[in-house]
Amino acid sequence: MKPQRNTPPEHPTLEQACAVMRRAYKLGWISTRDGNISVAMTDGRGFLVSASGVIKHALVPTQFVYVPADGTLAADAYPQPSGELELHRRLQVRLGGRKLTVLHLHPTHTVAALYAGHQLAELSAGFPEVTRYTRVGQDVPALPATSLELAEACEAAFQPALGPAPHIVGLDRHGVVAVGRTPWEAFEHVERLEHICRIALTAGQPATAVHSEQTRTY
């Protein structure tokens, strides 16, 4: 039986989502088929997420998969959603709103800072251009990509016990997840954090010894 194509409904920000992924590729923050993005449906019926394995520097609105609010998706749906579907589903539900984008990228200097042992929240605290607009959450430890463990850890990072939810969290050895009211707003959180990570690494800023040791235990 030929798979049924899951044609996404019309959505006002899908063109923005595609433009964000093209920009991320141009900046070297993802390779050809990496990264993923989802946007909430404005009528609350669920969300749209980029399809699995598509070429991100040529992403178009028809390469998004509609995921109903209850999360059910036909096993033979075509195209298949991103392998990080569970991560997007949990954040779309947890942070849900009719204006929500969840963006997952692999910005080079941010990943390098994590690998070097930096805590991103601590690193960014001294940079007002970040703290004024972007709340950086606690880092997520190194966990397998597309795993349930990663999705659960990201969900927990975006619902801290104290204080407001962050706009962005780092994933050790992996990348970042950012949220915003629009695709470009989510992108700006990634851009701010990447900028100061590049500054810190260029300056040779050492990571704290305790965190450096902890990151090697995962």
Side-chain angles (χ1 to χ4, degrees), residues 10-212:
E10 293 293 326
H11 191 281
T13 60
L14 282 187
E15 288 288 357
Q16 287 187 38
C18 294
V20 159
M21 299 306 284
R22 291 194 296 268
R23 179 61 177 161
Y25 176 82
K26 187 174 182 179
L27 289 168
W29 295 353
I30 52 174
S31 58
T32 302
R33 300 182 191 275
D34 289 347
N36 33 79
I37 187 170
S38 67
V39 292
M41 295 295 293
T42 54
D43 58 8
R45 288 187 295 130
F47 63 95
L48 297 161
V49 64
S50 53
S52 176
V54 294
I55 296 173
K56 299 309 191 303
H57 60 76
L59 188 65
V60 295
T62 54
Q63 293 175 315
F64 280 75
V65 179
Y66 169 59
V67 181
D70 63 6
T72 59
L73 193 65
D76 62 350
Y78 179 81
Q80 283 289 298
S82 165
E84 299 289 7
L85 174 62
E86 184 61 16
L87 185 157
H88 286 271
R89 187 191 69 77
R90 285 172 177 263
L91 294 185
Q92 287 286 350
V93 170
R94 177 64 58 183
L95 306 174
R98 298 189 177 187
K99 293 183 178 180
L100 178 67
T101 292
V102 177
L103 175 64
H104 171 46
L105 299 174
H106 308 155
T108 307
H109 293 90
T110 306
V111 176
L114 285 163
Y115 186 70
H118 287 285
Q119 289 182 306
L120 298 183
E122 178 182 301
L123 181 65
S124 62
F127 291 84
E129 65 269 32
V130 176
T131 57
R132 183 177 180 185
Y133 302 107
T134 298
R135 292 189 298 273
V136 181
Q138 294 302 304
D139 305 332
V140 172
L143 295 167
T146 75
S147 67
L148 176 61
E149 292 84 359
L150 179 61
E152 290 174 339
C154 285
E155 181 182 23
F158 276 95
Q159 50 173 349
L162 298 173
H167 296 117
I168 187 169
V169 301
L171 315 181
D172 189 21
R173 320 299 169 90
H174 191 166
V176 297
V177 176
V179 298
R181 290 168 295 183
T182 68
W184 283 116
E185 184 175 280
F187 178 89
E188 286 180 18
H189 295 311
V190 181
E191 185 176 42
R192 290 187 191 102
L193 185 57
E194 172 71 356
H195 181 62
I196 64 99
C197 285
R198 183 173 184 175
I199 291 171
L201 293 173
T202 301
Q205 177 68 32
T208 60
V210 172
H211 184 63
S212 181

